[in-house]
Amino acid sequence: MAEFHTCLLSNQKHYVSFWTALGTSLRRSEVLGLRVKDVVPELAEISVVKKLIYVDGLYIHEEVKKNRKMGQGIRTMGIDPSLSLLLGEYIEQSRLERKDLGLPSLKEEDLFFPSSIEGDQDTAFINPDSWSDAFRACLKGTKFEGRIRPHDMR
């Protein structure tokens, strides 16, 4: 596990989102669709309410629909204390960076994992394919290359 951790750590931009996927078994669309208000590190929980979908050339937030067969639907889950600590540090660092740059404070509707610190934070979606490519790039040249896909983290 330490070697896998080191692989993921090689991508600072997506490190926390990779570990969120790994630690929660959320789908890629659910991780990238998390908003600030969906993550409560103090209570060690995440609420899955919206997901990121691609429609007519645009990424949009869509409410998660109930589907018992697929295990989908709006839900709140407890998370591991180490992931909770990581997420708490991540959001605090994001707030400090915004303050240092003179940008507006984060809002509850803003994306937890935006593609950029600047611009409209509730629509700064990370391209899911780019995220998956970054995951595969982290594993390139390791014993994990070609053996673990982002979906396998579920």
Side-chain angles (χ1 to χ4, degrees):
M1 191 67 164
E3 187 178 351
F4 187 64
H5 178 267
T6 302
C7 292
L8 296 186
L9 190 55
S10 69
N11 186 310
Q12 289 293 312
K13 179 178 180 179
H14 297 302
Y15 171 76
V16 177
S17 62
F18 292 157
W19 275 104
T20 301
L22 183 65
T24 60
S25 297
L26 293 178
R27 292 165 178 81
R28 174 181 74 173
S29 63
E30 294 170 337
V31 170
L32 299 179
L34 287 172
R35 297 163 299 167
V36 170
K37 71 179 182 180
D38 298 331
V39 180
V40 188
E42 303 82 30
L43 299 177
E45 65 181 31
I46 290 179
S47 295
V48 180
V49 178
K50 294 195 174 210
K51 64 182 178 178
L52 182 62
I53 63 166
Y54 190 73
V55 177
D56 297 329
L58 297 172
Y59 289 102
I60 62 169
H61 254 139
E62 178 183 79
E63 189 168 296
V64 176
K65 294 181 176 77
K66 187 150 185 88
N67 181 336
R68 281 193 215 121
K69 181 180 175 191
M70 298 296 289
Q72 295 176 325
I74 294 173
R75 59 205 183 276
T76 299
M77 65 180 66
I79 57 175
D80 181 85
S82 61
L83 177 58
S84 182
L85 181 62
L86 180 65
L87 293 171
E89 290 170 354
Y90 174 83
I91 198 66
E92 186 58 31
Q93 179 183 352
S94 296
R95 287 187 170 116
L96 289 173
E97 283 179 16
R98 293 185 66 72
K99 184 177 180 181
D100 289 348
L101 293 171
L103 297 170
S105 298
L106 286 172
K107 300 181 300 277
E108 292 292 303
E109 292 295 322
D110 288 344
L111 291 167
F112 197 83
F113 299 115
S115 61
S116 168
I117 193 167
E118 298 177 0
D120 194 355
Q121 295 296 286
D122 61 344
T123 59
F125 299 115
I126 293 173
N127 179 313
D129 292 332
S130 296
W131 186 84
S132 294
D133 290 344
F135 177 83
R136 284 188 286 278
C138 288
L139 304 182
K140 190 172 179 97
T142 71
K143 67 181 183 183
F144 305 110
E145 183 177 1
R147 294 181 174 186
I148 301 175
R149 302 167 299 153
H151 185 77
D152 296 333
M153 293 192 294
R154 299 198 63 234

